[in-house]
Amino acid sequence: MDVFIFQLSEFAQLVFETTWLPLVIWTVISFGVWFFLQMFENVHPIYQYHTRLALIFSLPAGLLSLASIHYISDWITASAGDGLTMITVISPIDISFTQVEESSGIPFMVIVQSLAVAIFFSGMIFFLIRFCMHAINLKKLRKSLNYRPISEMTSLSPENRGLALATGKNVQVAFLNSEIIPVTFGFRKPVILLPDTLKSQPEKLNLALRHELTHITQHDFFSHLMVILTEAVFWFHPLVHRLKRELVEYREMRCDNIVLSEASVSRKEYASLLLELIPMPNLNKELSVNMAQESSNLKKRITMITQQSKTKPIPKQTSLILLGVIFISTALAMACTDMQTQNVFDEEELDLMTNIDKTGEQGFHEIIIYMSEEEQAERHESKLEQLRMLEPEHIESVHVWKGD
């Protein structure tokens, strides 16, 4: 058991040393962008949505890029052999000759680090189990439905028929004999669930279908799944949860704007439909993409629809460009910390090596320097010069190994 605890502690220390700076950089950038968006709530919903989406996805992308840089660096180092100039310094190891005391147990910091790892994995497993349970429930629901292709609906408007064809997918529609908020789920074979009451109201039926088909054309279900999985891994970060909650709100507002950008859509009828949805229950709102997640969100959307005289133009291209810029720049800023942290640790190790025991008062230490060529010493010449200043009586021995 003690060995396992020490292994957890070593793993925690390795992960912390690798990820703390990228996480800090992501937090600073994301909080700054998020705060700017909070200050300017009138920014178009599609900008609000895509910016938050870019921030969330840049977190795993940045860390994956960092891991890739480590892997490529190690591969280049291994393949370059003696031709690569490199210096590696192992921190001094205190081997002073004092009587060894029996261990009084596992050090406190080792226990703390082990608990941190255990808590992290426990939280991630909890979120993943919850995700799997929702996915199983949706699969069971799908099997219990009697649905048909949307193209076979006689009351489908020409606009919705064209939009369904534009999705390039075999969209299915099912009606439930209960009052529910219209909902969509499924990526390759999407299903739209609607309440039976809409069958007798063709105009509202087509408005609900228009909204759900817009979700399908925008691939909202797939992006929602990716956000949930990102939240499961980074559950410990409060900003991730906040961005996810706001994503849901602005996803629906963005969808409203896209639907209302069509001249044939009545604002009054659309707002009336949303108003009717307020008391209706939500079906698996955690995993599926609903027409309305929360009643408070519905009120805000209705206010936006009724107060605006006309819908703002949909800035699709510029919003996607903004998404790409924020995503790439944030991920690169995190990935480039690899060089910064490596320099920091190199300096820390050299400082330890040269400053910890110049007088020899603390006992003997072991210093190991690996080099392939003499030119490598140029980078650390100032630190190596401090080693040369050590008095001979403070050096127990010097060993030189040649070759591999």
Side-chain angles (χ1 to χ4, degrees):
M1 186 65 181
D2 289 358
V3 174
F4 178 69
I5 292 175
F6 276 101
Q7 289 176 342
L8 284 181
S9 176
E10 291 176 3
F11 176 77
Q13 189 172 359
L14 176 63
V15 171
F16 177 77
E17 289 177 354
T18 307
T19 61
W20 74 269
L21 186 54
L23 282 173
V24 168
I25 289 177
W26 181 86
T27 302
V28 171
I29 294 175
S30 298
F31 182 80
V33 175
W34 172 81
F35 185 75
F36 175 83
L37 293 175
Q38 294 293 107
M39 295 291 292
F40 299 93
E41 291 187 349
N42 291 329
V43 173
H44 198 286
I46 197 169
Y47 286 128
Q48 298 273 8
Y49 175 77
H50 279 157
T51 301
R52 286 170 170 82
L53 198 66
L55 291 176
I56 284 186
F57 286 162
S58 65
L59 178 55
L63 292 177
L64 286 174
S65 300
L66 183 62
S68 300
I69 290 174
H70 274 292
Y71 176 79
I72 294 172
S73 176
D74 292 341
W75 179 79
I76 293 175
T77 302
S79 60
D82 292 339
L84 180 67
T85 57
M86 177 185 64
I87 177 171
T88 303
V89 180
I90 295 180
S91 300
I93 304 170
D94 191 351
I95 55 171
S96 54
F97 297 105
T98 56
Q99 185 175 357
V100 179
E101 297 180 0
E102 292 187 6
S103 175
S104 58
I106 301 174
F108 176 72
M109 281 307 300
V110 171
I111 296 175
V112 171
Q113 291 170 342
S114 303
L115 283 175
V117 173
I119 292 172
F120 167 74
F121 279 109
S122 298
M124 186 172 66
I125 291 170
F126 168 79
F127 278 92
L128 290 175
I129 290 175
R130 190 175 69 170
F131 170 82
C132 292
M133 292 299 296
H134 287 304
I136 291 171
N137 290 336
L138 279 182
K139 189 173 183 179
K140 290 180 179 178
L141 177 64
R142 186 173 190 138
K143 288 182 177 179
S144 66
L145 295 173
N146 293 319
Y147 44 78
R148 58 177 177 169
I150 193 172
S151 57
E152 296 181 4
M153 295 182 63
T154 56
S155 57
L156 191 66
S157 67
E159 293 82 5
N160 282 344
R161 195 174 299 275
L163 190 59
L165 289 173
T167 63
K169 299 176 181 179
N170 184 20
V171 181
Q172 306 286 320
V173 178
F175 290 89
L176 292 183
N177 189 22
S178 59
E179 295 293 333
I180 63 162
I181 292 176
V183 59
T184 298
F185 61 88
F187 177 63
R188 291 183 301 170
K189 298 178 180 179
V191 174
I192 300 175
L193 299 184
L194 301 167
D196 268 338
T197 52
L198 289 180
K199 285 183 178 180
S200 59
Q201 305 176 71
E203 290 187 5
K204 291 183 178 179
L205 172 63
N206 276 286
L207 285 175
L209 286 172
R210 185 76 175 181
H211 184 98
E212 299 307 317
L213 285 170
T214 302
H215 278 312
I216 296 173
T217 58
Q218 299 295 316
H219 310 293
D220 285 342
F221 181 74
F222 178 76
S223 60
H224 184 58
L225 292 185
M226 295 300 101
V227 169
I228 291 175
L229 292 175
T230 302
E231 181 190 37
V233 177
F234 301 98
W235 62 269
F236 56 88
H237 205 302
L239 189 55
V240 172
H241 297 284
R242 183 61 183 261
L243 290 172
K244 182 208 167 189
R245 287 196 300 270
E246 294 180 356
L247 262 177
V248 172
E249 177 180 339
Y250 284 107
R251 181 181 66 211
E252 299 306 322
M253 294 174 68
R254 176 207 56 167
C255 201
D256 292 341
N257 273 264
I258 294 174
V259 172
L260 294 172
S261 64
E262 298 292 333
S264 59
V265 178
S266 168
R267 283 179 172 272
K268 183 178 179 181
E269 289 292 330
Y270 191 77
S272 175
L273 174 61
L274 292 180
L275 190 62
E276 291 178 10
L277 296 178
I278 290 179
M280 293 185 183
N282 228 325
L283 188 66
N284 201 328
K285 66 178 182 179
E286 289 296 327
L287 195 57
S288 58
V289 179
N290 296 288
M291 192 170 180
Q293 296 291 112
E294 305 291 343
S295 59
S296 58
N297 173 257
L298 273 171
K299 294 173 184 177
K300 184 176 180 179
R301 290 163 60 191
I302 293 170
T303 302
M304 180 193 72
I305 293 169
T306 55
Q307 287 183 352
Q308 289 182 359
S309 57
K310 62 178 181 178
T311 304
K312 299 177 182 178
I314 306 299
K316 293 181 181 178
Q317 292 185 347
T318 54
S319 183
L320 288 174
I321 291 172
L322 178 65
L323 183 151
V325 169
I326 293 177
F327 174 80
I328 294 173
S329 58
T330 306
L332 283 178
M334 296 171 64
C336 289
T337 57
D338 178 60
M339 294 178 288
Q340 300 171 23
T341 51
Q342 188 58 51
N343 289 338
V344 169
F345 288 125
D346 282 352
E347 292 300 318
E348 286 180 352
E349 288 174 343
L350 286 167
D351 285 339
L352 258 177
M353 179 179 69
T354 55
N355 298 331
I356 191 170
D357 193 19
K358 285 184 178 179
T359 63
E361 294 176 353
Q362 299 179 27
F364 295 103
H365 294 269
E366 181 179 283
I367 301 169
I368 305 175
I369 302 177
Y370 295 102
M371 295 186 186
S372 64
E373 295 181 357
E374 188 175 351
E375 296 85 80
Q376 294 186 58
E378 293 179 1
R379 177 184 171 194
H380 302 297
E381 184 61 36
S382 61
K383 294 297 181 181
L384 293 172
E385 185 60 33
Q386 295 183 43
L387 280 177
R388 298 188 186 102
M389 295 171 60
L390 288 172
E391 296 294 332
E393 61 266 22
H394 298 150
I395 301 175
E396 180 191 23
S397 62
V398 177
H399 301 279
V400 178
W401 291 274
K402 293 183 179 182
D404 294 338

